[in-house]
């Protein structure tokens, strides 16, 4: 039924999804982008311990770095998708990669916490906004029957990088200091530019489509009408889309809390630096498995993707509640076990959040819907981590 709906809503001039071919190269691009955006964000907790000590600020104040970055990525996503609609995903993603790396390089010279807010938060976050959603949209255009599996495989970059980055960043901080480590992170982030070059759009951009239609019709389109078309603002009147976006906002508020505070919390209850880093990195292993299993199970069509998403979201909430309880009295094994379970369920949830969108709005409005979804859920991303820390 969902497949019939997608065909019905295919835009004029769109190419049917090949379900393979060069699409797998675009999946590789998503793998790299997800690793260098959210895999990196998940592992920044290693730096936050250093920032608290160096700047003499509270964990709550330091956690605003991640919150601002995530909020910018989500808040400015409609600009990324509008630019993608207008000029194509490749150019937009490559420009975002430049901003992402530049933010970290400037952050390595920070002298106050405000500088980190502006560089890691504002500049890198703006780059992530131009990178993440257009890459997701490109993968979804290349796949239909195997879409959830392709998304799951692409998102394994988050889990794999979480496993590798936490101990790696701890080593870099110990060897080079936090300034040198941030400089290296900037260099890593520039690899997003190469990933963006892998994207080959299947459809013409809306600038080209509109210029053709305008030459046939009245030859004029107002700025307001053009903006509404690029940003897909009509979706703000779509009841199903708004309800779904508000639901995503609620669980987005809790999703990043372990990745921001768990390292510091583990250190607080008496575990060593590398034990604390291993808790986060170990969730990356089950995160990878969860994303692949979730994508495979969704494509079997035994349950609707929306129902599967509901199940995984409930389990994520349960394990979030258990995390602080299992770390009491220094039970490292309990903390590690719950972290592994949380990683699996959080990984399983993520690809479905995006795969469900075309079922709600159709493929023709999918790109704009992803941007607006990220905009609405940015409220949860901004407030979740600071409200959970002291």
């Amino acid at each position: 039924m969902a497949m019939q709906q997608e065909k019905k809503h295919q835009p004029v001039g769109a190419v049917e999804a090949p379900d393979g071919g060069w699409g797998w190269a675009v999946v590789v691009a998503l793998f790299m982008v997800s690793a260098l955006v959210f895999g990196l964000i998940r592992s920044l907790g290693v730096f936050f311990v250093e920032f608290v000590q160096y700047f003499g600020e509270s964990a709550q104040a330091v956690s605003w770095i991640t919150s601002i970055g995530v909020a910018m990525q989500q808040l400015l996503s409609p600009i990324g998708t509008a630019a993608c609609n207008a000029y194509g995903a490749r150019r937009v993603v490559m420009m975002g990669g430049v901003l992402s790396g530049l933010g970290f390089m400037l952050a390595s010279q920070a002298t106050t916490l405000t500088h980190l807010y502006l560089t890691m938060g504002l500049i890198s976050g703006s780059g992530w906004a131009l990178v993440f959603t257009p890459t997701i949209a490109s993968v979804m255009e290349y796949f239909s029957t195997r879409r959830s599996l392709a998304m799951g495989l692409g998102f394994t970059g988050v889990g794999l990088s979480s496993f590798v980055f936490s101990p790696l960043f701890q080593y870099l901080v110990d060897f080079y200091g936090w300034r040198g480590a941030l400089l290296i992170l900037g260099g890593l982030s520039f690899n997003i530019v190469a990933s963006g070059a892998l994207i080959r759009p299947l459809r013409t951009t809306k600038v080209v489509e509109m210029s053709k239609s305008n030459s046939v019709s009245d030859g004029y389109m107002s700025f307001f009408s053009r903006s509404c078309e690029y940003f897909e603002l009509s979706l703000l009147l779509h009841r199903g889309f708004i309800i779904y976006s508000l639901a995503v906002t609620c669980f987005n508020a809790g999703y990043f809390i372990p990745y921001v505070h768990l390292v510091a919390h583990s250190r607080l209850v008496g575990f060593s630096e590398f034990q604390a880093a291993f808790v986060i990195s170990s969730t990356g292993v089950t995160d990878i498995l969860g994303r692949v299993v979730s994508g495979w199970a969704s494509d079997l069509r035994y349950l609707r993707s929306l129902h599967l998403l509901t199940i995984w979201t409930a389990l994520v909430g349960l394990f979030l509640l258990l995390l602080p309880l299992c770390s009491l009295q220094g039970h490292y094994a309990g903390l590690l076990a719950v972290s592994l379970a949380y990683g699996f369920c959080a990984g399983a949830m993520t690809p479905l959040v995006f795969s469900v969108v075309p079922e709600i709005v159709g493929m023709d409005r999918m790109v704009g819907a992803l941007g607006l979804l990220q905009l609405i859920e940015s409220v949860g991303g901004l407030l979740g981590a600071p409200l959970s820390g002291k």
Side-chain angles (χ1 to χ4, degrees), residues 73-278:
Q73 183 270 317
Q74 295 174 337
L75 191 66
L76 299 183
S77 280
I79 295 178
T81 54
C84 182
N85 273 333
Y87 304 110
R90 178 186 289 179
R91 296 176 186 176
V92 176
V93 172
M94 294 175 74
M95 178 58 68
V98 172
L99 289 175
S100 301
L102 180 63
F104 281 103
M105 288 192 163
L106 292 175
S108 68
Q109 307 302 313
T111 56
T112 67
L113 203 57
T114 303
H115 294 162
L116 295 177
Y117 293 160
L118 295 174
T119 53
M120 293 174 65
L122 187 65
I123 298 176
S124 290
S126 299
W128 298 334
L130 299 180
V131 164
F132 189 64
T133 309
T135 309
I136 291 173
S138 298
V139 172
M140 294 174 77
E141 286 179 350
Y142 267 91
F143 292 88
S144 56
T145 58
R146 292 187 286 183
R147 179 178 298 144
S148 295
L149 178 60
M151 294 287 290
L153 290 172
F155 279 131
T156 56
V158 179
L160 184 61
S161 60
S162 297
F163 179 74
V164 174
F165 281 174
S166 286
L168 174 62
F169 291 174
Q170 186 66 61
Y171 171 79
L172 292 175
V173 168
D174 291 342
F175 195 80
Y176 296 105
W178 65 265
R179 294 185 185 277
L182 285 178
L183 201 60
I184 294 172
L185 261 61
L188 283 174
S189 295
F190 281 128
N191 286 283
I192 294 174
V193 178
S195 301
L198 291 174
I199 298 174
R200 292 179 183 174
L202 284 177
R203 62 186 178 90
T204 56
T205 63
K206 290 195 174 182
V207 164
V208 176
E209 291 176 3
M210 287 178 181
S211 63
K212 289 179 180 177
S213 63
N214 289 347
S215 63
V216 174
S217 57
D218 61 358
Y220 174 77
M221 176 174 284
S222 69
F223 174 78
F224 177 77
S225 299
R226 190 179 297 114
S227 298
C228 289
E229 183 73 19
Y230 290 163
F231 285 93
E232 301 288 0
L233 295 182
S234 62
L235 288 170
L236 296 177
L237 301 177
H238 191 296
R239 187 177 65 175
F241 173 74
I242 292 298
I243 293 173
Y244 180 72
S245 298
L246 293 176
V248 173
T249 301
C250 290
F251 63 69
N252 191 49
Y255 183 85
F256 290 101
I257 289 174
Y259 303 109
V260 175
H261 292 299
L262 193 53
V263 170
H265 175 74
S266 300
R267 294 275 295 276
L268 183 65
V269 297
F271 302 128
S272 69
E273 291 180 358
F274 280 94
Q275 278 182 316
F278 184 74

